């Protein structure tokens, strides 16, 4: 298990799982969010191959509806 920060909240997860899987576990729809890891943007096409490391900081941005 590793510890990562997701939108400033500590999460514990299996570091061998893909970013796409972890996003789903955390309630995000991977096709509808933008993700940066340690300040670096990750393209959606890379979510399935991306693995997290202990201490990574993720910023997950989801669209907001409204006007």
């Amino acid at each position: 298990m590793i510890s990562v920060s997701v939108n400033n909240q500590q999460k514990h997860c299996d570091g061998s799982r893909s970013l796409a899987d972890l996003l789903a576990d955390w309630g995000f729809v991977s096709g509808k969010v933008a993700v940066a890891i340690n300040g670096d943007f990750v393209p959606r096409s890379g979510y399935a191959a991306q693995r997290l490391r202990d201490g990574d900081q993720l910023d997950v941005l989801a669209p907001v509806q409204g006007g």
Side-chain angles (χ1 to χ4, degrees), residues 1 3 5 7-9 11-14 17 20 25 27-28 32-33 35-36 41-42 47 50 57-58:
M1 291 296 251
S3 178
S5 172
N7 295 342
N8 295 318
Q9 292 184 338
K11 305 252 186 211
H12 297 282
C13 60
D14 181 348
R17 298 192 62 220
D25 288 352
F28 296 105
K32 305 232 183 209
V33 295
V35 179
F41 172 75
V42 179
Y47 290 4
Q50 182 71 47
Q57 286 192 304
L58 283 78

Side-chain angles (χ1 to χ4, degrees), residues 1-60:
M1 291 296 251
I2 61 171
S3 178
V4 297
S5 172
V6 180
N7 295 342
N8 295 318
Q9 292 184 338
Q10 289 297 316
K11 305 252 186 211
H12 297 282
C13 60
D14 181 348
S16 68
R17 298 192 62 220
S18 72
L19 175 60
D21 290 340
L22 293 171
L23 287 171
D25 288 352
W26 296 328
F28 296 105
V29 178
S30 64
K32 305 232 183 209
V33 295
V35 179
I37 299 175
N38 302 322
D40 294 323
F41 172 75
V42 179
R44 275 189 204 108
S45 61
Y47 290 4
Q50 182 71 47
R51 300 297 184 267
L52 300 178
R53 288 177 269 185
D54 194 45
D56 277 348
Q57 286 192 304
L58 283 78
D59 294 305
V60 182

